[in-house]
Amino acid sequence: MIHVETLKDAHKEEFPKVSVDEAYDTLKSMKVHGAGRIARFAAHALRDYAAEAKARNSRDYWNLVLRAGEKLRSARPTAVSLPNGVNYVLYGGRKSFESGGSVEDIRTATVNTANDFITSSIDAVRQIGEIGARRVKNGDVIITHCNSEAAMSVLKKAYDMGKGIKVYCDETRPKFQGHKTAAALAAYGLDVTLICDSACRVYMSNADRAVVGCDAIAVNGALVNKIGTSQVATMAHEARVNFMVAAETYKLDFKTLSGELVDIEEREHTEIAAKEWIAQNPKVKFSNPVFDVTPPEYIDFYVTEKGIVPPGGIFSLMKELYQYTEGAQARPEH
Ligand code: RI2
């Protein structure tokens, strides 16, 4: 049994040591969730695997590490932080392998790159909080959706700065992750109200801004985030409420540069109706897409660890950071 839900503060984050298969199952079942956290969890699992994997020569060793990376990358399809994080880790090992490194050289490079990724991810969340909180005004009424550590970092930092904000948390069906956000922010001391997703429009008319997290950013500046985010954005647009997205730059989806679309994860029907109800209503069909796409026109700006970026600036940011995708070419030899 893996106890990961007790991890409330990214700065105190410690993941249990797990095998690659266990990590895959943990990600798939969402025992660890949140785009940033799944990337760090995968980096931890890959680092621990790379630290101990045994092979006769560097080619065999590197192939084992690549296979582990490929498995972890495939656990969830939408949050691009997962492949970007894994690719970043593999990039370090690959440079060592391609320059003729020994098994121990590649191992050290992979472990070090994984540690770099984990540290920089935690730093990015903190920096986003600092940058985003400066855009929050004293007394703001803020709506948030789902459970995003980056969005919460902004809200907590604004609170730390004494801004006296009031936060409305959408409960975020089907998995009610808004409950976690409400609990965490209330425990931190913020003034928090939990509302049904369908009550969002009622509260939007009195809100000053909406702050949400991010699973992927497309080249045109569109946001892919938890299902319902695009409804929040549409309501914010209608009510002329500022819509802010808190997103680390490893959420840039580089494959959209070449016209590929972001896959939207479809999850089990049992997340939206009880098994008994499903059995009693065999003629009812179900659909459970867990992410949606918010068009760039509805987004005022992204807050990244590199600063504020309007949706129209995403293409330039992707070009600037393109080197991270190099690890994506690293594939095991089957
Ligand atoms: P942070 C989550 O996805 C939510 O969609 C949330 O908005 C997003 O990741 C970003 O979260 P899921 O893993 O990286 O709960 O800001 O499906 O924590």
Side-chain angles (χ1 to χ4, degrees), residues 30 33-38 76 145-151 177 213-215 225-226 246 248 251 291:
M30 292 182 64
H33 67 87
R37 207 176 297 174
I38 65 176
R76 292 196 65 195
H145 190 72
C146 200
N147 182 243
S148 156
E149 64 181 7
Q177 286 136 307
C214 167
D215 284 271
N225 194 47
K226 183 58 54 182
E248 306 90 302
K251 292 169 180 174
F291 298 98

Side-chain angles (χ1 to χ4, degrees), residues 80 84 216-217 248-254 314 317-318 321:
V80 74
N84 281 352
I217 309 172
E248 306 90 302
T249 53
Y250 53 75
K251 292 169 180 174
L252 293 167
D253 197 332
F254 293 101
I314 293 299
L317 188 62
M318 277 195 185
L321 300 174

Side-chain angles (χ1 to χ4, degrees), residues 35-318:
R37 207 176 297 174
I38 65 176
R40 289 197 299 278
F41 182 65
H44 269 95
L46 189 54
R47 177 195 65 188
D48 292 349
Y49 178 77
E52 291 179 1
K54 291 191 174 32
R56 281 170 307 175
N57 58 49
S58 48
R59 176 167 294 279
D60 288 355
Y61 172 80
W62 184 230
N63 226 19
L64 288 174
V65 175
L66 288 178
R67 273 180 216 278
E70 191 171 64
K71 170 120 197 182
L72 291 165
R73 254 195 313 245
S74 67
R76 292 196 65 195
T78 302
V80 74
S81 50
L82 181 59
N84 281 352
V86 168
N87 292 341
Y88 184 96
V89 175
L90 294 177
Y91 183 60
R94 183 162 66 99
K95 275 201 298 190
S96 173
F97 170 67
E98 287 178 352
S99 61
S102 66
V103 168
E104 290 316 310
D105 292 337
I106 306 168
R107 190 191 308 282
T108 304
T110 309
V111 167
N112 288 345
T113 321
N115 286 334
D116 280 354
F117 177 77
I118 293 161
T119 308
S120 63
S121 164
I122 290 168
D123 264 3
V125 173
R126 182 185 49 74
Q127 286 169 304
I128 286 168
E130 283 168 7
I131 297 167
R134 282 189 234 131
R135 307 306 287 254
V136 173
K137 295 199 173 69
N138 193 21
D140 270 358
V141 173
I142 302 175
I143 295 195
T144 189
H145 190 72
C146 200
N147 182 243
S148 156
E149 64 181 7
M152 287 197 293
S153 179
V154 172
L155 301 173
K156 286 178 176 176
K157 187 66 191 177
Y159 172 82
D160 289 344
M161 293 163 85
K163 296 207 173 180
I165 57 174
K166 194 169 168 56
V167 180
Y168 286 86
C169 299
D170 285 350
E171 59 181 356
T172 320
R173 270 187 61 84
K175 287 181 81 71
F176 300 103
Q177 286 136 307
H179 289 226
K180 291 178 93 173
T181 304
L185 294 181
Y188 201 76
L190 280 84
D191 179 338
V192 175
T193 307
L194 183 67
I195 58 171
C196 293
D197 298 340
S198 40
C200 185
R201 190 160 179 261
V202 171
Y203 290 95
M204 190 60 83
S205 47
N206 290 322
D208 297 289
R209 66 188 72 249
V211 181
V212 299
C214 167
D215 284 271
I217 309 172
V219 64
N220 66 345
L223 163 70
V224 182
N225 194 47
K226 183 58 54 182
I227 192 81
T229 302
S230 68
Q231 291 171 332
V232 178
T234 306
M235 290 181 254
H237 188 71
E238 178 198 46
R240 302 174 71 82
V241 166
N242 190 278
F243 190 84
M244 176 198 296
V245 183
E248 306 90 302
T249 53
Y250 53 75
K251 292 169 180 174
L252 293 167
D253 197 332
F254 293 101
K255 72 177 184 296
T256 62
L257 272 169
S258 54
E260 275 192 58
L261 300 175
V262 177
D263 286 345
I264 300 294
E265 182 177 0
E266 174 86 27
R267 293 184 62 85
E268 290 296 314
H269 304 155
T270 47
E271 287 185 357
I272 55 174
K275 273 189 185 144
E276 302 71 42
W277 197 94
I278 294 172
Q280 284 159 12
N281 296 278
K283 290 190 175 168
V284 176
K285 292 183 277 186
F286 295 89
S287 181
N288 184 24
V290 295
F291 298 98
D292 65 18
V293 181
T294 299
E297 305 79 58
Y298 289 5
I299 297 164
D300 285 284
F301 54 87
Y302 286 91
V303 184
T304 77
E305 74 278 14
K306 297 194 178 294
I308 303 273
V309 185
I314 293 299
F315 175 63
S316 306
L317 188 62
M318 277 195 185

